[in-house]
């Protein structure tokens, strides 16, 4: 999978900044930059991007050192933005990470072309510290460019950030994981890069990142952000250790899957689900959550599509097969409970078959009336007319087949919620509520039903 970083505010801003002409001569005269760096950047900056890539092949170490030096010495925001775009452009070819690694391994001032004064001061150039420091700058573009560059420097090659700085960086990323962040895609792209590195995953897992991602994923965000978040979850889902906490993401990803139009979003969710199902033996826990989210219905539809990508076809079929086996293993009441927990009810034999209610009505009392309490929440908070109508119906069937349950219905406030549905705009909801109230109020429902027949 490709990690895309060229989108939104970053992409448009980078294009504009890259094309702005920078006057390097005044910076040299004012001693902001060294002569050696001026000689390199004044030529490099006039090249096309293609020419810059060719220059890096023959003089990459020298160019990278100059770009890092400029990232340290320049304070002017406009110029610094320009330099950071050049750094990030260089790193778009992963092969160029070797020059950053050479900087980190050498850290020798006499190789920098800075002259004898710098050698005397034993100056050391770091491939990553300047970009970590820039995260404290006020300019959003500078901060997020630095975030992306830092993630690349510490992830694309063999160099690994120490635990203390890694923890600080990950916590900083977590602080940026909010829907209102215009550069959220850049922060997520940096995490996609870092989570490819197994050594970084535990620090990420132990931070607040997953909680922040769960909050963002539950809001209305673009399909690109959805993809990026699930990509991060997928990278974590290769280990059972991390999978327990990832179960919390099944419900929001199931909601996304039901509406997904983009193939890459469907693909990454299927890969994520497959890993979760394979991690648990037996896969009952993730499978039940997926069934609650109606994933089995969606994947059933997806299996009928003609996929050009064999990998996605295989993942869809694998998830479908596991969920089908789990559905066969679940009792009828388990299926009913899973549907209620999903928060979306539909007219089906589970609700309309009298035999089901004769056998299972009393089970609604289990676990301190767990199902009745969930029905009450749905009656109070749900807006979907079908779910409301089915909820009201189920309350009526419960007392019809378990008459002493009327006390529970009154005590838990279910009757009050059903009464409120009489004011609903949907006629089917009103009708279902009225019928449920008749069952609640009449002692001989069967006699009344026969009389009306």
């Amino acid at each position: 999978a490709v990690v895309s970083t060229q989108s939104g505010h970053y992409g448009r801003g980078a294009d504009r900044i890259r094309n702005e002409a920078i006057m390097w001569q005044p910076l040299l005269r004012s001693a902001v930059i060294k002569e050696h760096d001026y000689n390199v950047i004044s030529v490099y900056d006039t090249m096309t991007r293609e020419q810059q890539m060719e220059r890096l092949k023959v003089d990459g170490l020298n160019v990278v050192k100059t770009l890092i030096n400029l990232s340290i010495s320049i304070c002017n925001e406009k110029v610094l933005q320009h330099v950071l775009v050049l750094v990030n452009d260089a790193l778009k070819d992963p092969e160029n990470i070797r020059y950053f690694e050479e900087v980190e391994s050498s850290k020798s001032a006499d190789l920098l072309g800075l002259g004898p004064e710098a050698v005397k001061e034993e100056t050391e150039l770091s491939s990553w510290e300047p970009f970590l420091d820039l995260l404290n700058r006020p300019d959003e573009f500078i901060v997020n460019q630095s975030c992306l560059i830092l993630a690349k420097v510490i992830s694309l090659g063999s160099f690994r950030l120490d635990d203390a700085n890694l923890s600080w960086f990950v916590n900083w990323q977590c602080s940026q994981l909010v829907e209102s962040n215009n550069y959220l895609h850049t922060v997520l792209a940096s995490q996609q890069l870092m989570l490819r590195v197994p050594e970084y995953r535990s620090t990420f897992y132990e931070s607040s990142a997953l909680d922040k991602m769960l909050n963002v994923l539950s809001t209305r965000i673009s399909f690109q952000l959805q993809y990026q978040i699930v990509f991060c979850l997928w990278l974590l889902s290769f280990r059972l250790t991390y999978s327990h906490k990832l179960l919390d993401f099944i419900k929001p990803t199931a909601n996304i899957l039901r509406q997904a139009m983009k193939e890459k979003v469907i693909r990454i969710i299927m890969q994520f689900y497959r890993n979760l199902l394979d991690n648990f033996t037996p896969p009952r826990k993730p499978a039940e959550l997926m069934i609650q989210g109606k994933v089995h219905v969606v994947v059933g539809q997806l299996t009928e599509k003609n996929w050009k990508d064999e990998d996605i076809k295989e993942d869809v079929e694998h998830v479908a097969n596991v969920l089908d086996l789990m559905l066969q293993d679940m009792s009828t009441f388990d299926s009913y409970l899973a549907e209620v927990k999903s928060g979306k009810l539909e007219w089906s034999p589970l609700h309309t078959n009298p035999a089901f209610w004769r056998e299972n009505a009393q089970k609604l009392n289990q676990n301190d009336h767990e199902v009745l309490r969930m029905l009450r929440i749905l009656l109070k908070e749900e807006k979907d007319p079908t779910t409301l109508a089915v909820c009201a119906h189920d309350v009526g069937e419960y007392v019809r087949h378990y008459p002493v349950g009327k006390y529970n219905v009154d005590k838990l406030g279910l009757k009050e919620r059903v009464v409120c549905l009489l004011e609903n705009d949907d006629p089917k909801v009103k009708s279902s509520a009225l019928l449920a109230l008749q069952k609640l109020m009449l002692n001989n429902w069967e006699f009344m039903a026969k009389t009306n027949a």
Side-chain angles (χ1 to χ4, degrees), residues 24 45 49 53 62 107 193 218 220 329 346 361 384 390:
W24 298 106
D45 196 29
R49 293 177 71 181
M53 292 301 105
N62 205 24
K107 286 190 175 179
L193 287 163
S218 301
R220 294 179 64 86
D329 190 49
E346 298 173 356
D384 175 57
V390 176

Side-chain angles (χ1 to χ4, degrees), residues 11 22 44-45 52 80 146 158 160-161 165 193 247 265 273 333 372 383 397 448:
I22 301 297
Y44 185 79
D45 196 29
Q52 289 174 351
L80 183 55
S146 301
S158 59
R160 295 293 175 257
L161 197 59
N165 283 300
L193 287 163
L247 295 176
V265 176
Y273 284 173
F333 185 74
L372 293 177
K383 303 298 181 185
E397 287 299 280
M448 196 275 283

